[in-house]
Amino acid sequence: MAVAVLNPTQLLKPRAERVIAAIDVGSSKVAALVAMADGQDQPRVIGAGVRASNGLKRGLVADMAKTETAIRAAMMQAEKAAGVEIESVIVNLSAGGLDSDVTSVEIDIAGHRISEEDMGSLLAQGRARIDETISKAGRTTLHAEPTLYTVDGLDGVTNPRGFHANRLAVDIHVLTAATPPCRNLDLAVRNAHLGVEAIVASGVAASASVLNDEERELGVAVIEIGAGVTTVAVHGGGMLAGLVSLPMGAGDITADIAASFGTRRAAAERLKTLSGAATTSPRDNHDMIEVPPLDPEDGQEARRVPRSELNAVIRARLDLIFGEVEQALKDIGFTGPAGRQVVLTGGGAELRGIADFAQGVLSRNVRIGRPRGLIGLPEAQSTAAFATLAGLILHGSQPRLDLARMAVPRSRGAPARDAPKSGFFRLFDHLKRQI
C-alpha cells in the first residue's frame, strides 16, 4: 500500500486543474464522486454514483467480493456520468482501531532566525520519530499534521518563520489505524481495478465538508453517525485535535426496531425513516403506524402500534450512542467554553428531531451538517449522509501539509528531543486562553 511522497513545499503548492475521484465505502452503501479541481476554486462535480452494500461490518471489510462489486458498480455509474475513466481514488476509513495522538519534537536553533531549512529539519525529524513509533506498534499512519509550534517556551505560534529563537518545537497530530483493515480496504479497491491515492479517516473528511473556518477556530466537535460506526472528530484553534470511532450507529437503531416489532430490517429502516423521530410529543400516543410482518407469505397481517412505541425504541438506542459520544468528548478534553459547539452529520443525522435530542443530552449547541464547498453537487448527494463523500473531494483538492505524505530527508543540525508537555489537553489549554 503506497502513496506519493512529497516535500513540504510541494505539499502546499496548488496544482493545475485535475480530475479527483472519491469513494465512500460505508456499512450500508458505497458512494462515488468525480470532480474537477485546481486547488484554489471550489471543486466542480461532474459525476456521481451510489450502490447499496452489505460487504462491511462496523466499518470493516467483512465480505471482499461484495465490497469489491459495490465499489466497481458505484464508480462505473460515476464514470459514465462524468464521461471520464478513473484510475485512482481517495477512499475513507471509519473504523479499524483509529487512534489519535500528539507527537512533539524540538530542535536547537542557536539564536538565529528560523529559516525554511530549520522548518524542514524540524518536520523531517518529526516524521522520522512518527515512523519509528508507528512501525514498532504495527500500525499505519493516515494523517500527521503539524498543529501548534512553540518558540522558546511560547506556545500557540502558527508560523514561526523569521523568529529569532534558541529552541523550536512542534506538536504533530497523528492519526493512525491498525494495518490489516487498511490493507483489506486497499485490496477491495484495487480488486475493483482502481488505485488508492490516499486513505482518509471518515471524521476528517466529514469535517472538511460541514465546518467553516470560524467553527474550527472557536472549537467544535463533528459527530458523524454512520450505519455501523459513529465518529467523533474534535477541532480547536483551526486544527484537528482528536478523533475517536465508536462501534455503533444508525444501523443499530434499525436492528432494534426490527427485533422489537418482529419485522424485516428493510421494513424497520422504512419505519425509522418515515415515521420515527428522536423527539416525542403527546400526539405520538394517538398516532398509529403499520408494522409489516416478518414473513408476509405465512398469512400474518400487519400490526398497528402507537408511534410513541417506535420512538421509545429509537430514543433508547440514541441514549446509548450519545452516552458514548459524551464520554469520548470528555476523554479528548472537549469541555468548557471551547467545547460548546457540536455538528451532527452522516446518515443517522437525518433522523427527525435528532439535533434537539443531542442538544438535550450533551448540553451543547447542536446543528445538522450538510456538505458544502462543491459546485454542481447533485441534490441526492446534498444530504448529511454524503458529507464524508464530499469531504473526500475537498480534502484531496486542497494543498495541505501532511507529514504522512512527506519524504524523509537526512536532517541537519542538532538531534531532536521530546518537547515538554504535549497532548490534546495542551491544544485546548491554548484555545481556552484565547477566549
Side-chain angles (χ1 to χ4, degrees):
M1 188 175 68
V3 296
V5 290
L6 305 168
N7 62 44
T9 303
Q10 290 174 314
L11 287 168
L12 293 173
K13 183 178 179 180
R15 308 181 214 177
E17 187 173 55
R18 64 190 183 101
V19 175
I20 296 179
I23 295 181
D24 175 6
V25 184
S27 299
S28 64
K29 72 179 189 308
V30 173
L33 205 62
V34 180
M36 300 294 296
D38 60 9
Q40 296 177 328
D41 299 323
Q42 290 186 345
R44 176 171 50 88
V45 176
I46 58 176
V50 182
R51 175 58 63 93
S53 173
N54 59 356
L56 272 72
K57 303 296 181 185
R58 301 295 179 193
L60 302 175
V61 176
D63 188 312
M64 189 66 70
K66 289 181 179 179
T67 304
E68 169 194 332
T69 299
I71 291 172
R72 185 184 295 115
M75 183 50 70
M76 286 180 63
Q77 185 180 354
E79 286 178 326
K80 184 176 180 180
V84 297
E85 184 174 339
I86 300 301
E87 295 183 356
S88 64
V89 298
I90 302 170
V91 64
N92 67 306
L93 181 71
S94 60
L98 289 174
D99 189 27
S100 190
D101 200 358
V102 174
T103 294
S104 297
V105 65
E106 187 178 51
I107 62 173
D108 186 15
I109 301 298
H112 67 250
R113 293 184 67 184
I114 297 171
S115 65
E116 287 293 342
E117 182 179 3
D118 296 321
M119 295 292 291
S121 176
L122 177 70
L123 297 178
Q125 293 188 46
R127 165 65 190 268
R129 174 164 296 160
I130 292 168
D131 285 349
E132 180 183 0
T133 303
I134 298 306
S135 63
K136 288 181 180 178
R139 297 177 64 80
T140 296
T141 303
L142 299 184
H143 310 283
E145 299 187 1
T147 55
L148 300 177
Y149 292 91
T150 300
V151 179
D152 289 343
L154 174 66
D155 61 9
V157 178
T158 56
N159 184 4
R161 293 170 178 82
F163 281 56
H164 287 274
N166 291 311
R167 306 293 302 177
L168 173 64
V170 63
D171 289 341
I172 304 169
H173 183 260
V174 184
L175 187 58
T176 65
T179 297
C182 293
R183 289 180 174 172
N184 290 335
L185 178 62
D186 178 86
L187 179 60
V189 175
R190 294 186 186 279
N191 284 347
H193 310 298
L194 295 166
V196 177
E197 185 173 328
I199 296 178
V200 179
S202 294
V204 172
S207 298
S209 72
V210 302
L211 295 182
N212 58 47
D213 292 340
E214 188 166 357
E215 286 176 317
R216 292 177 186 272
E217 285 292 334
L218 295 176
V220 63
V222 176
I223 302 171
E224 183 206 13
I225 307 174
V229 177
T230 295
T231 303
V232 180
V234 170
H235 301 258
M239 301 163 289
L240 177 68
L243 187 144
V244 176
S245 63
L246 307 172
M248 59 177 66
D252 293 293
I253 301 176
T254 302
D256 290 347
I257 294 172
S260 298
F261 297 106
T263 190
R264 293 167 296 162
R265 283 180 176 267
E269 179 68 25
R270 184 176 178 83
L271 285 170
K272 179 184 73 174
T273 304
L274 300 181
S275 303
T279 53
T280 61
S281 71
R283 185 175 176 177
D284 292 340
N285 293 316
H286 307 287
D287 287 347
M288 304 299 290
I289 58 176
E290 194 171 275
V291 179
L294 186 62
D295 186 0
E297 297 182 359
D298 68 358
Q300 294 182 2
E301 295 184 358
R303 292 190 299 130
R304 291 175 61 82
V305 300
R307 190 189 304 270
S308 59
E309 291 188 16
L310 172 64
N311 291 344
V313 173
I314 292 173
R315 288 169 61 86
R317 175 58 67 172
L318 288 178
D319 278 331
L320 294 175
I321 293 175
F322 281 100
E324 293 293 325
V325 167
E326 174 67 12
Q327 186 59 52
L329 293 176
K330 290 180 181 178
D331 292 343
I332 294 174
F334 190 67
T335 58
R340 302 299 304 168
Q341 306 298 321
V342 170
V343 177
L344 297 182
T345 192
E350 296 180 6
L351 180 66
R352 187 164 56 251
I354 194 170
D356 292 334
F357 179 93
Q359 186 161 313
V361 173
L362 301 177
S363 299
R364 292 174 169 91
N365 300 320
V366 179
R367 72 170 178 86
I368 303 300
R370 297 178 177 84
R372 53 192 176 188
L374 297 179
I375 298 173
L377 186 65
E379 185 176 352
Q381 277 78 34
S382 298
T383 65
F386 294 90
T388 295
L389 179 63
L392 290 172
I393 294 291
L394 291 169
H395 186 275
S397 68
Q398 296 296 327
R400 62 181 63 247
L401 184 54
D402 189 339
L403 303 190
R405 298 188 60 211
M406 172 184 162
V408 187
R410 189 180 301 275
S411 60
R412 286 174 287 186
R417 71 180 189 188
D418 288 335
K421 189 189 177 188
S422 182
F424 302 127
F425 289 97
R426 172 176 176 164
L427 300 181
F428 281 103
D429 285 345
H430 169 72
L431 178 60
K432 290 169 184 176
R433 290 197 296 270
Q434 309 305 310
I435 297 177

